[in-house]
Amino acid sequence: MYSLVFVFFFQAEDGIRDAQESRGLGDVYKRQTEFCERLAFYGLIGSLSIFFTRELGLSSLLASELSNLFTSINYLTPLIGAYLAEVHYGRFGTIVRFCVIYVGGMVLCCLAAHPSVLSGWLFCLGLFGGVAVGSGGIKPNVVVLGAEQFDVTIPEHKLQLDSFFNWFYWSI
């Protein structure tokens, strides 16, 4: 997630830097952003049911339902993120806003899971209100923002676009 900040600096300097260098650096950070987002998501989802049952004392059934609800929200909110990017904030603005929400949710989850705190409602607030909603603005926009940097009418850019997609999807 932190690598997303660097993308913004490189994109803002497109007029100053050589376009080829800027595109290469920006692409690396876009891929890193998606990689970090996916790493955080799968890191959470893999142990979520166990955390709910062992640490929060929920039944296995409820833990499974909450895990599935988290996954569902995670895959439904990109519709909202795509809409906001197209109509209101643009891709860049949407990614920034939702990245802040995502990181805030991760911080809440970490704080709430600490043994001295161990707060179920705070963890769920971070999980559902932060991480699940935050990923909805990142998922549909990062790859499109990266692809929009290429002019496919130029043969060299077409090859670079193919390379971008290969590396992007490999990173996730």
Side-chain angles (χ1 to χ4, degrees):
M1 294 318 245
Y2 302 110
S3 63
L4 187 60
V5 173
F6 296 110
V7 171
F8 304 138
F9 291 121
F10 289 117
Q11 285 183 342
E13 297 176 1
D14 275 350
I16 299 170
R17 290 178 177 262
D18 174 59
Q20 180 67 28
E21 178 186 353
S22 177
R23 183 178 9 264
L25 291 172
D27 291 344
V28 169
Y29 291 116
K30 289 172 193 137
R31 287 190 303 264
Q32 284 181 347
T33 299
E34 184 65 17
F35 175 77
C36 290
E37 190 272 330
R38 294 286 76 203
L39 185 64
F41 171 77
Y42 287 114
L44 271 173
I45 199 68
S47 59
L48 199 53
S49 291
I50 296 168
F51 176 77
F52 280 141
T53 55
R54 288 188 186 169
E55 301 300 323
L56 298 181
L58 302 178
S59 69
S60 295
L61 179 62
L62 183 56
S64 179
E65 288 173 350
L66 288 174
S67 294
N68 289 333
L69 178 63
F70 172 67
T71 302
S72 298
I73 293 172
N74 229 299
Y75 286 109
L76 287 174
T77 54
L79 296 171
I80 297 167
Y83 170 78
L84 291 174
E86 287 293 324
V87 176
H88 295 288
Y89 305 122
R91 290 187 217 311
F92 181 78
T94 303
I95 292 169
V96 170
R97 285 171 174 86
F98 280 76
C99 187
V100 169
I101 293 169
Y102 194 104
V103 171
M106 287 298 291
V107 168
L108 276 178
C109 285
C110 291
L111 290 174
H114 192 273
S116 65
V117 178
L118 205 58
S119 172
W121 72 268
L122 191 60
F123 183 82
C124 286
L125 177 65
L127 186 70
F128 296 111
V131 176
V133 171
S135 71
I138 297 169
K139 272 185 218 287
N141 294 308
V142 170
V143 69
V144 177
L145 184 66
E148 286 177 342
Q149 307 306 308
F150 300 95
D151 181 2
V152 293
T153 61
I154 300 171
E156 183 180 319
H157 284 210
K158 173 70 172 118
L159 292 173
Q160 290 172 353
L161 179 63
D162 292 342
S163 176
F164 169 76
F165 280 120
N166 286 337
W167 281 106
F168 182 85
Y169 286 108
W170 180 83
S171 70
I172 59 172

